Amino acid sequence: MIAIIADGRWGRRIVHYVRERYPNEVVTWGVRSVALASELLMEETRVSVSSYTEAIKAHRLIIVAMPFQDLLPWADVYAPWLNGKIVIDLSIPQTSEDRLLFGWRTSGSEELQKKLPKSRVVGAKSAGIHRHTRIEQGVPSAIYVTSDDEEAKCQVIELFGGAGYQIVDAGTLEENRAIDRMISVG
C-alpha cells in the first residue's frame, strides 16, 4: 500500500517509522541504489526494496522524502506513473537559495502539484520528521498537513496520527509558503 521514495539514512528512518506505525501494511522502499538500501535495511522486516519506478507502480500512497532541489526534477521523470496516486511531499527548503527559488508567491508543494496535475499532492512538513525526534522536552513535534484535495489530506492525517506527533490540518497547499519558511529556520 505504501511506497517510500527516499535514499540513504533519511529514507531508512521513514521506512522504520512507517513499519513501526503500520506493521501489517505492504511497504516498498524505492531507491536509486538497491544495494545500499538493502544494506541499510538489514534490521527491518516486511519491507521490499526496489527502483523508484517499481515502488511507484506497486502502490497508491507515495511518500517522497528527498532534498528540495531534487523534488521537481524527480517529478518530471516519474509523473506518468503517479497519475491518480496520493503523493506525500516531505521536502523542506533548506538553504536561502531554495527559499528564494519561488519567493512568497508559491511553495515547493504547490509547484509539485503543478508538475503532477493528475496526482493528489499532500504536503506533510515537520522539522521533527527530518530530525527523527517525536517528543522533545515533553512537547510533541508538529506535522503540518496541507492539500487541495480534502480526502487525500484526511488519509495522510490518519497515516501520521497517533504516533507521538501533533497533527495540524494546515489548510491548502498555499499554506506551505509560510510553513516551509517556519520549519526551515526552526
Side-chain angles (χ1 to χ4, degrees), residues 96-123:
S96 58
E97 291 84 19
D98 290 341
R99 290 187 297 273
L100 292 173
L101 185 61
F102 300 119
W104 285 97
R105 69 190 186 292
T106 190
S107 67
S109 293
E110 288 173 281
E111 293 302 308
L112 181 61
Q113 183 66 77
K114 289 176 189 173
K115 294 272 186 182
L116 304 173
K118 296 180 181 177
S119 299
R120 303 162 71 193
V121 173
V122 178

Side-chain angles (χ1 to χ4, degrees), residues 133-141 164:
T133 56
R134 289 192 201 135
I135 300 175
E136 193 171 296
Q137 298 175 350
V139 178
S141 181

Side-chain angles (χ1 to χ4, degrees), residues 120-133:
R120 303 162 71 193
V121 173
V122 178
K125 310 300 178 109
S126 172
I129 290 175
H130 296 267
R131 295 185 192 121
H132 196 56
T133 56

Side-chain angles (χ1 to χ4, degrees), residues 19-31:
R19 176 57 40 232
E20 216 176 62
R21 178 83 169 97
Y22 294 100
N24 299 319
E25 283 293 336
V26 174
V27 176
T28 303
W29 186 9
V31 295

